[in-house]
Amino acid sequence: MILNTNQSHRIVTALVKDKPGVLARISGMFRRRGFNIKSLVVGQCELPNKSRMTFVVEGNDKTVEQVTNHLYKLVEVIKVNDISDQNLVERELALIRVKTNSQTRSEIMQIVDIFRAHIVDVANDATIVEVTGNELKVNSLQKLLEPFGILEVMRTGTIATSRGLQK
Amino acid sequence: MQLTGAQIVCESLLQEGVDTIFGIPGGAILPLYQTLPEYPGLKHILVRHEQGAAHAADGYSRVTGKPGICWATSGPGATNLVTGIATAAMDSVPMVVITGQVKRSAIGSDAFQETDITGITLHITKHNYLVLDAADVATTIKEAFHLATTGRPGPVLVDIPKDVQEELTEFEYPSEVKIEGYNPTNEGSAVMVRRAAKLINEAKRPVILSGHGVILSGAYGELISLAEKAQTPVIATLLGISSFPEDHFLYAGWPGMHGMAYSSLAIDESDLLIAIGMRFDDRITGDTSKFAPNAKVIHMDIDPSEIGKNINVDVPIVGDAKHILRQLIPLIEETSRVDWINRVETLKSEHPLIGVNDTDKLIPQFVINELYKATNGDAIVVTGVGQHQMWAAQYYKFNEPRTLVSSGGSGAMGFEVPAAMGAQLGRPDKTVWSICGDGGFQMTMCELATLAENKIPVKLAIINNGVLGMVHQWQESFYNKSYVATEYSANPDFVKLAEAFGLLGVRVSEKSEVAAGIAKAMDFDGPALIDFVVEEQENVYPFIPSGMSVADMIEGSQREKIRQ
């Protein structure tokens, strides 16, 4: 395949039927065709019996064209959009469980404040930080919290939608 | 009216015009089998192995254009179908495959003969279904036929648990089908068609590459019109053979790894490729960076994902070949490309295939040529995979559509016997020759019993060189003649074997016996097999080694050099 020149990340969304096995078909297609996906998020949407997926795909326009065409080949995929070039809002949510003691707690809270993140659970020895934002923001916060000792990071992967009336 | 799920399957198949089903019974599909006597319009062919059922359905479809139907029980019955399903998927053959499944409450429990066949066939079907409610059976079958036969055709599998087959429900066959998000494009974009016409009208050395899509869409007449109006040579792909009459003066062979040298050279010299319903397989392109270096590319295909997949395209046109050609032809200016056509004729005369009379020994090329002569080129030829397949495609001349049946993309040895059986049932009016390799023949030869039992008069020609010939050739050329596991030290006596199965068996070992042997098989009223004991050391030429280009082609005239 003529893929993977001029590497970058592209964001593709897809409207799919909410049926058993849809996720297996889609993830299997990515594996079989050798497409690299950085993240894949699926959830219910505004339409009954349908789900919307957001993929972050590694590759260029050509890769995305192939990804789009191969997604369309799956009967349960209804609509595919490459929204990378649109004015869009990208968000990811992360829960970061970080080691905490009485000496570090206030510093962690300061960092969390700067990132407009939240502390959603405090224990004697650990704190759970919830952060939403684009991938870069989540990466940055994660990096700043690392010196305190990160116990676990749970990230949702990116979801995205375009601004305004665009479909 | 209340019917069982099994009755609904049979009613639905009749509604879809099905007349022949290939299969083998088993526990999870028994309700369906026990219902069959109520439906005499459905003829069931009891094969000996489920792989044979799938290949037979495939062969039936390739010669009739109708979807092929096969079914099997759960577990091993279903998994035995897999090679046949994958073969149909690779070659875009419409098939509807039905499998029995363990009862609903047992699914997921590793029950006896339970296999997740929808999971296994996820990527070798166009789509598949597990039906969990008898009320969904009719709609599912309707959708399966719609998906299998529209857009880019392919196999669709429907898995039905045993208790769904037994469940009673109201039956009404849907008159139409609507699948949200599934709308194959048939008409080409007018803008792209105009751009294509401009390129064609400006081209000096255009060639048409005609693929299986031309046959699948039935665009034979349109292809001839385009070729004649634009005075453009037509090169077929392996599966595109028979899409354009070989006796037409514009026919220019088929290219690639073992294609005619002149076809590959014409592509190399071309300034415009007009690709119709083909997918630039690696067996055609070799090294894509050196493929058709001077040519712009117009690519017409019904599957958008094929466009730009293997090579870069200047004018993409998504749609059905017949529709697009009908849009395109009025925009083409009548021209005469005398210089280019003469050039292609020169290439043909300077780069012929090996002569069939080059030697007094019995060589496969001679056998195929004699088969062509004996049948006046009027037979349906079904092949296996390997050397004999290439020789059949090279030396038989196909003038009528759907007369070559061969496993192209998948390259499934063992295809030849069951696919010929299906082809003969699809076209009882035609002589069907199965050209077999001695290797592939032994993979599915159990279907000789099915041929004999049902008096299906397929004629089989085993090109018996006692080796797995194509692999043997690669070992000779690239592995320093290290013939690992490609030589049979004890093949069965194929004549006795044919007789044991109830076929006529004939052995031919000399050139002088060939014509009489063929005549004997053709005169016999029933299935017959000829064991052609041919030269072992014959190789297929031309030969462009895998991943290389036309510059690296080894032609037949150089074969002695290669031997040394």
Side-chain angles (χ1 to χ4, degrees):
Chain A
M1 292 210 180
I2 318 161
L3 300 177
N4 299 332
T5 51
N6 182 22
Q7 280 283 356
S8 64
H9 294 155
R10 309 283 298 183
I11 296 180
V12 176
T13 62
L15 183 69
V16 306
K17 290 175 201 167
D18 183 12
K19 286 195 176 173
V22 173
L23 188 57
R25 281 179 207 280
I26 290 173
S27 58
M29 184 279 287
F30 278 104
R31 175 191 56 75
R32 169 168 131 64
R33 298 280 175 189
F35 297 129
N36 288 320
I37 37 173
K38 253 191 119 188
S39 69
L40 184 166
V41 182
V42 56
Q44 292 175 337
C45 66
E46 74 282 6
L47 300 164
N49 308 318
K50 307 234 172 18
S51 310
R52 192 165 265 118
M53 293 182 153
T54 309
F55 311 96
V56 179
V57 181
E58 292 186 9
N60 55 16
D61 290 359
K62 197 141 213 162
T63 318
V64 171
E65 193 184 314
Q66 279 288 311
V67 166
T68 305
N69 287 337
H70 282 290
L71 279 170
Y72 268 125
K73 270 181 94 162
L74 302 172
V75 171
E76 283 155 347
V77 173
I78 299 163
K79 182 90 182 99
V80 184
N81 281 316
D82 173 10
I83 59 171
S84 319
D85 297 331
Q86 294 177 13
N87 187 1
L88 47 88
V89 176
E90 284 175 57
R91 287 293 180 272
E92 179 173 9
L93 183 142
L95 295 174
I96 302 171
R97 191 147 54 91
V98 56
K99 270 192 208 162
T100 317
N101 57 37
S102 50
Q103 281 90 50
T104 58
R105 186 167 292 122
S106 63
E107 197 182 341
I108 289 172
M109 286 169 72
Q110 275 178 13
I111 293 168
V112 165
D113 265 355
I114 292 164
F115 277 82
R116 285 182 224 152
H118 305 284
I119 288 174
V120 292
D121 184 70
V122 179
N124 275 339
D125 48 1
T127 302
I128 299 176
V129 177
E130 176 196 301
V131 58
T132 51
N134 65 21
E135 196 195 335
L136 278 176
K137 176 179 167 184
V138 177
N139 287 349
S140 310
L141 177 58
Q142 188 180 323
K143 205 170 169 200
L144 281 170
L145 292 174
E146 257 163 26
F148 301 101
I150 287 179
L151 295 164
E152 189 174 54
V153 177
M154 303 294 284
R155 294 175 68 156
T156 59
T158 299
I159 55 170
T161 187
S162 39
R163 296 175 201 261
L165 276 175
Q166 272 172 325
K167 277 237 159 186
Chain B
M1 190 178 41
Q2 291 254 314
L3 295 180
T4 65
Q7 287 172 315
I8 291 172
V9 171
C10 295
E11 292 279 353
S12 305
L13 292 180
L14 285 174
Q15 293 272 352
E16 293 293 336
V18 171
D19 52 23
T20 309
I21 302 160
F22 301 91
I24 302 184
I29 200 172
L30 260 187
L32 205 38
Y33 268 90
Q34 298 315 112
T35 307
L36 263 185
E38 298 166 35
Y39 297 93
L42 297 174
K43 180 178 175 187
H44 177 263
I45 301 293
L46 174 61
V47 297
R48 296 305 193 262
H49 185 289
E50 289 86 352
Q51 184 186 348
H55 286 325
D58 180 324
Y60 176 95
S61 174
R62 291 195 207 216
V63 299
T64 60
K66 289 161 60 178
I69 316 297
C70 60
W71 65 31
T73 193
S74 62
T79 55
N80 279 349
L81 293 169
V82 164
T83 301
I85 298 171
T87 302
M90 282 294 265
D91 290 350
S92 313
V93 177
M95 268 174 33
V96 173
V97 181
I98 297 170
T99 46
Q101 183 54 277
V102 299
K103 63 184 182 195
R104 281 168 289 189
S105 58
I107 291 177
S109 72
D110 299 323
F112 176 66
Q113 291 193 331
E114 184 192 356
T115 294
D116 171 22
I117 195 63
T118 45
I120 288 172
T121 58
L122 212 53
H123 304 295
I124 56 165
T125 50
K126 184 166 171 183
H127 193 55
N128 62 24
Y129 297 88
L130 170 62
V131 187
L132 291 171
D133 187 338
D136 294 336
V137 171
T139 321
T140 307
I141 302 270
K142 181 84 186 173
E143 286 189 11
F145 275 88
H146 181 65
L147 289 172
T149 55
T150 56
R152 179 177 182 171
V156 178
L157 181 138
V158 182
D159 196 25
I160 313 177
K162 187 174 188 179
D163 57 333
V164 173
Q165 296 169 40
E166 288 163 341
E167 194 174 36
L168 276 167
T169 187
E170 210 56 45
F171 172 67
E172 194 190 344
Y173 200 61
S175 57
E176 57 179 46
V177 55
K178 201 169 178 298
I179 302 170
E180 192 183 3
Y182 176 78
N183 304 301
T185 309
N186 286 320
E187 294 292 317
S189 135
V191 176
M192 291 301 169
V193 170
R194 275 200 301 278
R195 271 194 217 168
K198 186 164 180 284
L199 281 187
I200 294 170
N201 291 333
E202 288 168 356
K204 296 275 182 290
R205 299 180 305 280
V207 295
I208 292 170
L209 299 179
S210 174
H212 198 200
V214 172
I215 295 175
L216 289 166
S217 82
Y220 323 115
E222 288 78 5
L223 178 59
I224 292 174
S225 302
L226 174 67
E228 289 179 350
K229 199 169 180 191
Q231 288 292 296
T232 299
V234 177
I235 291 172
T237 67
L238 181 70
L239 293 184
I241 290 174
S242 90
S243 65
F244 190 80
E246 291 201 23
D247 56 7
H248 195 288
F249 79 103
L250 286 169
Y251 184 69
W254 55 278
M257 182 177 280
H258 292 297
M260 284 69 161
Y262 55 79
S263 314
S264 299
L265 290 165
I267 290 173
D268 194 53
E269 292 184 14
S270 165
D271 66 352
L272 177 67
L273 305 183
I274 308 162
I276 314 171
M278 55 83 71
R279 59 187 178 88
F280 294 100
D281 181 79
D282 57 275
R283 258 42 185 171
I284 284 182
T285 62
D287 181 349
T288 50
S289 69
K290 292 176 185 157
F291 176 71
N294 307 311
K296 293 196 164 162
V297 178
I298 299 167
H299 192 182
M300 312 171 199
D301 203 286
I302 200 156
D303 180 354
S305 74
E306 286 301 346
I307 290 173
K309 187 181 82 176
N310 293 340
I311 68 159
N312 291 319
V313 171
D314 297 281
V315 180
I317 313 179
V318 175
D320 174 77
K322 192 171 189 142
H323 285 85
I324 298 172
L325 291 185
R326 284 186 175 177
Q327 293 169 269
L328 180 64
I329 291 164
L331 308 180
I332 301 299
E333 293 159 9
E334 293 204 30
T335 42
S336 71
R337 293 192 167 91
V338 179
D339 290 348
W340 174 229
I341 288 169
N342 285 342
R343 173 65 189 152
V344 174
E345 286 303 311
T346 308
L347 289 173
K348 284 185 194 175
S349 58
E350 285 177 357
H351 301 273
L353 290 171
I354 293 164
V356 295
N357 284 315
D358 270 8
T359 163
D360 292 333
K361 292 177 180 162
L362 182 57
I363 57 169
Q365 297 92 322
F366 179 84
V367 174
I368 309 286
N369 191 52
E370 289 296 304
L371 279 172
Y372 169 66
K373 280 166 36 188
T375 54
N376 298 314
D378 193 36
I380 287 172
V381 172
V382 184
T383 79
V385 170
Q387 290 186 313
H388 71 281
Q389 176 189 31
M390 297 296 109
W391 285 314
Q394 287 178 342
Y395 286 88
Y396 203 92
K397 303 277 172 282
F398 301 89
N399 293 320
E400 197 190 315
R402 297 187 178 277
T403 47
L404 174 64
V405 176
S406 196
S407 167
S410 176
M413 288 171 66
F415 180 75
E416 55 264 60
V417 179
M421 174 166 77
Q424 182 74 79
L425 287 164
R427 289 295 304 271
D429 57 313
K430 281 278 202 182
T431 302
V432 174
W433 273 95
S434 173
I435 299 182
C436 314
D438 53 316
F441 174 79
Q442 291 181 76
M443 291 183 177
T444 50
M445 64 185 179
C446 54
E447 301 309 336
L448 294 189
T450 317
L451 292 178
E453 184 171 67
N454 296 282
K455 301 187 173 56
I456 303 166
V458 169
K459 314 296 176 189
L460 304 112
I462 301 183
I463 306 299
N464 179 6
N465 57 4
V467 293
L468 289 162
M470 189 61 93
V471 180
H472 201 259
Q473 175 169 346
W474 283 49
Q475 288 171 333
E476 180 184 314
S477 303
F478 308 124
Y479 294 92
N480 203 19
K481 300 186 184 179
S482 172
Y483 299 121
V484 182
T486 49
E487 294 173 341
Y488 295 117
S489 59
N491 257 342
D493 181 330
F494 291 117
V495 172
K496 278 189 189 161
L497 194 94
E499 287 164 356
F501 276 108
L503 277 74
L504 173 76
V506 181
R507 176 163 295 114
V508 171
S509 318
E510 301 289 333
K511 258 179 123 169
S512 57
E513 303 164 355
V514 173
I518 293 171
K520 198 171 168 193
M522 286 177 72
D523 290 342
F524 183 71
D525 183 20
L529 180 152
I530 309 178
D531 178 20
F532 288 103
V533 183
V534 298
E535 267 302 288
E536 180 202 300
Q537 279 299 336
E538 191 58 30
N539 283 345
V540 184
Y541 296 104
F543 187 9
I544 302 175
S546 189
M548 299 179 95
S549 74
V550 69
D552 309 301
M553 178 161 53
I554 304 156
E555 288 197 58
S557 53
Q558 297 161 271
R559 64 178 155 168
E560 290 314 319
K561 201 170 79 193
I562 302 302
R563 283 280 160 71
Q564 288 149 18

